[in-house]
Amino acid sequence: MRYLMLIRSDPATAPTAGPDPALAEDMGRLIEEMTKAGVLLDTAGLRPIEEATRIRLADGATTILDGPFTEAREVIGGYCLVQTRTREEAVEWGSRFLRLHGPEWTMEVEIRQLDQP
């Protein structure tokens, strides 16, 4: 089964200095472990919300909105696409990712199974 993990955070609560080098090293080790386990299909961080564009459909009309978005209290900062045997296994990988960050971060990972074609 394939799962998409959406990594959400609140920019107002993120450490102002960003991730420290130790976190980047820990993340690299986790990604390497996931790759060796054959679980990781793809992963990436996303550019800042200030560079985003939203396309909104309302009442049959589309509107294009360029960032920054002042109401953005929670943003998707990255994603991870995994293939696991069970939902529980995907949850464990997502939990391990979050635990790397430590108490100074407030984040969540939303895990959604992809529809099979």
Side-chain angles (χ1 to χ4, degrees):
M1 294 177 276
R2 293 181 303 157
Y3 293 91
L4 180 63
M5 297 182 189
L6 299 171
I7 303 159
R8 299 179 188 272
S9 64
D10 180 347
T13 64
T16 54
D20 68 22
L23 175 58
E25 290 177 23
D26 291 344
M27 194 67 60
R29 283 192 289 277
L30 180 63
I31 289 170
E32 183 178 333
E33 184 179 347
M34 293 174 78
T35 301
K36 286 181 180 177
V39 170
L40 184 64
L41 300 177
D42 192 25
T43 189
L46 300 178
R47 300 285 303 163
I49 189 73
E50 292 82 11
E51 299 176 22
T53 299
R54 291 180 180 167
I55 305 170
R56 181 171 290 148
L57 174 66
D59 299 320
T62 57
T63 306
I64 298 172
L65 306 164
D66 290 323
F69 305 106
T70 57
E71 76 280 3
R73 285 191 226 148
E74 183 182 84
V75 298
I76 298 172
Y79 72 93
C80 184
L81 182 62
V82 297
Q83 184 164 324
T84 61
R85 290 179 296 281
T86 64
R87 178 186 153 295
E88 291 75 20
E89 184 181 355
V91 168
E92 178 56 31
W93 285 112
S95 297
R96 289 182 62 190
F97 168 82
L98 286 177
R99 285 192 301 264
L100 291 178
H101 288 78
E104 65 274 15
W105 290 85
T106 301
M107 304 173 65
E108 97 180 1
V109 171
E110 178 180 333
I111 298 176
R112 311 261 313 260
Q113 185 175 355
L114 277 66
D115 281 338
Q116 301 300 319

